[in-house]
Amino acid sequence: PVHIGFDFVEDERLGIRVFGGPNGTFFFSADDPEEVVNEFDYKNVVWGLSAGAGVDVGILTIDLEYEFGLSDMLDSDIQTAKNNALFIRAGLLF
């Protein structure tokens, strides 16, 4: 993803931010190519947009992000699938 963000609060002990931007998902291979690729004809690149927010409290950081799929993952006229996902990240700031 390529995110652009804005910090609402940027203090030594507290940080609040929002971010968003485009992303691309690339399908390279699968563990069992015959089972996955023959059953579904996946596109090599799937595009989407993501948006999220995060908070830093002391040395702890938490982000919540949602990815909206813009293109279908499958090359099929019968079936469609979008790559929508929710991400929750937690970490320590050094």
Side-chain angles (χ1 to χ4, degrees):
V2 177
H3 288 149
I4 296 174
F6 177 77
D7 289 326
F8 286 105
V9 177
E10 190 173 2
D11 188 61
E12 213 173 279
R13 296 183 181 159
L14 179 67
I16 300 173
R17 67 191 160 280
V18 294
F19 52 88
N23 61 59
T25 302
F26 301 90
F27 181 74
F28 292 107
S29 65
D31 291 338
D32 186 1
E34 283 187 42
E35 180 182 323
V36 176
V37 176
N38 288 337
E39 185 176 347
F40 299 108
D41 190 12
Y42 288 100
K43 291 184 178 180
N44 288 338
V45 181
V46 179
W47 297 103
L49 289 175
S50 59
V55 63
D56 302 331
V57 179
I59 65 167
L60 300 175
T61 181
I62 298 174
D63 287 341
L64 181 65
E65 177 185 355
Y66 191 78
E67 180 180 312
F68 304 90
L70 296 178
S71 56
D72 286 329
M73 292 178 58
L74 306 175
D75 268 335
S76 172
D77 294 332
I78 300 169
Q79 193 173 10
T80 62
K82 303 269 187 200
N83 189 24
N84 297 326
L86 177 67
F87 300 97
I88 300 172
R89 288 183 289 274
L92 299 174
L93 299 171
F94 293 93

